[in-house]
């Protein structure tokens, strides 16, 4: 009964939010759009500092200029609806209409234990027709490495999801073991339900994070401090700030000094999933391809075939999910489907130097804990999901 009442209250809350959103949309339609069109050509993406400065300028202009914040309102709408492509970013002439994403819904049985067999392998088959145009043309279809969908590169271009260097990336990686994630799987934010998305948007608004902006290290740490204080009502400890700094570095692999908006959003989405959903619910998000890769990884580590691996091996597997981002040739010939010795340039070896100096006794204690297949999946599920995006960023930095 407690569960049913909780769900009823949740439904009522969602209905209230939906009514508020509908009223908000109706209000936007009634406002003139002349100024918005005039400013569309000048839309730009800057850092959070620039966005906040623009917001302060809009606020100081007074209530006589309501259309000044229309771009910001549009950004919040795109965030809520899961749309990542800006309307101003490409000419819509001769373009397909991007899909209307439907956010998932939680079911009553989602939190119940899920039995995923280690011995019984799953048959993984890709779709036969392009997800966009529903036409079959054999070898010219590019498969997603996460789901069963396949695409034509021309269809992806006309959708606005394939531009410039990304076209080369799809062509070169889609048919390799590295693979390519389609626009559904590349966007971790689409895993959130409407309720979860509403919670994330409220957090971003309270912390004055503007959708579409890049975040510097100071912006990121300031946000993390605010979120931690709101959640625990106490300041963030120094060790936690160091961990946040490491996560920023993982999200900025090219050392540009800032993290892109879609990488920040993916990171926050996977963090929220870890916070709100139990591991059994996260396991239900894995696709057949991801489960097969996890089986291959576990069996490769279980050398004596007793159904158990050491904790240290399980930890190394978490780093191996991100091997797809490695640009140079690894020192060992291992695909992302298998876990083996880590190369010098792999994410695992580039972590904290403290892990390199681990004393033999600690390493021995780590290896003493045995992990079975069920625990292996539960402890790695968040990292498997976080490895979906094509971006070189590590959206969930594994502990060293």
């Amino acid at each position: 009964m407690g569960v049913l009442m909780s769900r009823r209250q949740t439904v009522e809350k969602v209905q209230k939010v939906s009514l508020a959103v509908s009223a908000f949309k109706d209000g936007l339609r009634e406002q003139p759009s002349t100024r918005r069109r005039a400013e569309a050509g000048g839309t730009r993406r800057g850092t959070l500092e620039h966005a906040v400065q623009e917001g302060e300028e809009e606020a100081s202009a007074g209530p006589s200029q309501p259309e000044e914040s229309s771009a910001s309102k549009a950004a919040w709408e795109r965030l809520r609806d899961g749309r990542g492509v800006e309307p101003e970013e490409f000419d819509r002439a001769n373009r397909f209409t991007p899909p209307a994403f439907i956010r998932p819904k939680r079911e009553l049985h989602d939190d119940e234990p899920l039995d995923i067999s280690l011995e019984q392998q799953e048959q993984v088959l890709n779709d036969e027709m392009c997800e966009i145009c529903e036409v079959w043309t054999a070898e010219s279809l590019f498969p997603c490495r996460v789901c069963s969908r396949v695409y034509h590169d021309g269809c992806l271009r006309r959708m606005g999801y394939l531009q410039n260097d990304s076209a080369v990336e799809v062509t070169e990686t889609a048919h390799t073991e590295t693979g390519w994630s389609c626009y559904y799987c590349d966007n971790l934010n689409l895993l959130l339900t409407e309720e979860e998305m509403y919670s994330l948007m409220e957090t971003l608004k309270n912390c004055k994070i503007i959708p579409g902006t890049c975040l510097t290290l100071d912006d990121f740490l300031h946000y993390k401090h605010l979120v931690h204080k709101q959640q625990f009502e106490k300041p963030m400890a120094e060790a936690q700030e160091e961990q946040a700094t490491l996560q920023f570095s993982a999200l900025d692999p090219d050392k540009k000094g800032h993290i892109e908006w879609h990488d920040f959003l993916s990171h926050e989405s996977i963090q929220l999933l870890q916070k709100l959903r139990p591991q059994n619910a996260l396991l239900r998000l894995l696709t057949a391809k991801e489960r097969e890769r996890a089986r291959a990884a576990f069996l490769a580590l279980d050398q004596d075939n007793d159904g158990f691996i050491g904790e240290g091996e399980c930890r190394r597997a978490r780093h191996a999910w991100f091997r797809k981002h490695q640009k140079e040739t690894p020192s060992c010939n291992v695909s992302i489907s298998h876990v083996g010795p880590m190369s010098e340039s792999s994410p695992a070896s580039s972590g904290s130097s403290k892990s390199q100096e681990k004393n033999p006794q600690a390493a021995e204690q780590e290896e003493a804990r045995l992990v079975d297949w069920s625990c292996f999946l539960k402890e790695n599920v968040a990292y498997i999901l976080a490895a979906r995006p094509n971006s070189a960023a590590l959206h969930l930095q594994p502990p060293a």
Side-chain angles (χ1 to χ4, degrees):
M1 174 64 75
V3 174
L4 293 177
M5 287 298 293
S6 176
R7 284 180 58 81
R8 181 181 302 169
Q9 293 170 355
T10 301
V11 170
E12 291 174 352
K13 182 178 179 181
V14 172
Q15 289 175 342
K16 291 179 181 178
V17 172
S18 299
L19 290 174
V21 170
S22 299
F24 174 74
K25 284 185 174 181
D26 292 337
L28 285 181
R29 293 193 190 99
E30 294 173 1
Q31 295 174 352
S33 57
T34 305
R35 187 178 183 88
R36 181 178 179 181
R37 286 196 298 268
E39 294 180 347
T43 301
R44 60 177 177 85
R45 290 192 182 195
T47 62
L48 179 60
E49 181 180 354
H50 292 146
V52 171
Q53 183 178 357
E54 290 175 358
E56 291 175 350
E57 292 173 355
E58 292 168 0
S60 63
S64 61
Q65 298 180 359
E67 285 304 309
E68 289 288 339
S69 61
S70 60
S72 178
K73 291 178 181 178
W76 284 110
E77 285 189 8
R78 285 193 297 274
L79 177 60
R80 184 199 64 219
D81 297 338
R83 290 172 287 145
V85 179
E86 301 276 358
E88 301 86 1
E89 285 186 355
F90 60 91
D91 183 10
R92 288 200 176 276
N94 299 318
R95 299 280 186 180
F96 289 141
T97 303
F101 297 113
I102 301 177
R103 294 195 174 275
K105 296 186 178 183
R106 294 292 308 278
E107 303 293 340
L108 284 174
H109 66 276
D110 280 355
D111 298 346
E112 297 176 0
L114 182 64
D115 183 23
I116 301 177
S117 173
L118 174 62
E119 294 78 16
Q120 185 176 357
Q121 295 186 350
E122 301 176 63
Q123 187 177 11
V124 179
L125 296 175
N126 289 323
D127 296 343
E128 294 184 351
M129 296 187 295
C130 173
E131 175 71 14
I132 299 173
C133 69
E134 299 183 349
V135 173
W136 177 82
T137 50
E139 294 300 323
S140 63
L141 290 170
F142 294 97
C144 174
R145 66 181 178 85
V146 176
C147 65
S148 62
R149 301 182 184 95
V150 293
Y151 301 85
H152 293 119
D153 59 339
C155 291
L156 290 171
R157 284 191 181 91
R158 294 186 67 185
M159 288 278 285
Y161 290 112
L162 204 62
Q163 300 178 22
N164 304 327
D165 296 339
S166 59
V168 178
E169 178 185 354
V170 172
T171 305
E172 292 182 348
T173 62
H175 291 291
T176 66
E177 291 188 45
T178 297
W180 160 81
S181 294
C182 69
Y183 52 83
Y184 285 104
C185 302
D186 182 62
N187 189 354
L188 295 180
N189 185 251
L190 294 180
L191 296 176
L192 301 184
T193 63
E194 289 186 2
E195 296 89 348
E196 291 165 343
M197 190 62 234
Y198 179 76
S199 172
L200 178 57
M201 289 176 65
E202 285 296 301
T203 301
L204 296 176
K205 287 180 179 179
N206 291 337
C207 297
K208 293 181 170 51
I209 298 294
I210 311 299
T213 57
C214 301
L215 278 77
T216 64
L217 176 59
D218 289 340
D219 297 331
F220 187 74
L221 290 179
H222 181 66
Y223 168 79
K224 288 295 183 181
H225 274 284
L226 289 176
V227 171
H228 187 274
K229 194 163 186 179
Q230 289 177 5
Q231 184 175 355
F232 301 103
E233 297 183 350
K234 63 179 181 180
M236 181 187 291
E238 184 178 351
Q240 293 170 315
E241 182 173 326
E242 290 179 358
Q243 186 62 39
T245 303
L246 288 175
Q247 180 61 63
F248 179 88
S249 298
L251 290 169
D252 180 26
D254 297 328
K255 309 304 177 187
K256 294 180 292 187
H258 66 266
I259 54 179
E260 301 293 337
W261 166 252
H262 58 84
D263 287 324
F264 172 74
L265 184 60
S266 291
H267 169 68
E268 289 304 305
S269 298
I270 201 70
Q271 289 277 71
L272 189 63
L273 286 173
Q274 280 189 297
K275 174 184 173 183
L276 298 182
R277 299 196 201 181
Q279 290 173 322
N280 288 324
L282 293 181
L283 285 175
R284 298 182 187 276
L285 299 177
L286 295 180
T287 65
K289 290 183 179 180
E290 289 173 320
R291 292 192 294 267
E292 277 301 297
R293 283 183 172 133
R295 284 190 185 91
F298 186 87
L299 292 173
L301 291 169
D302 185 16
Q303 300 292 332
D304 51 7
N305 297 321
D306 64 348
F308 293 91
I309 62 173
E311 182 178 5
E313 294 173 315
C314 183
R315 177 178 56 83
R316 287 191 290 274
R318 292 171 197 153
H319 293 273
W321 299 122
F322 301 99
R323 190 176 294 252
K324 64 179 172 58
H325 302 311
Q326 197 170 306
K327 302 228 174 149
E328 59 272 13
T329 304
S331 61
C332 55
N333 186 19
V334 184
S335 73
I336 61 170
S337 304
H338 298 80
V339 179
M342 304 304 291
S343 69
E344 291 289 331
S345 56
S346 67
S349 62
S350 61
S352 173
S353 59
K354 295 179 181 179
S355 62
Q356 309 275 346
E357 302 170 359
K358 189 176 292 183
N359 60 62
Q361 183 179 1
E364 190 174 321
Q365 290 177 350
E366 184 182 69
E367 293 294 340
R369 175 178 173 259
L370 296 179
V371 179
D372 62 10
W373 165 242
S374 177
C375 287
F376 175 80
L377 265 185
K378 289 180 179 179
E379 293 179 14
N380 282 281
V381 60
Y383 299 99
I384 298 174
L385 294 172
R388 284 184 177 184
N390 295 308
S391 168
L394 271 65
H395 299 95
L396 190 62
Q397 173 70 46

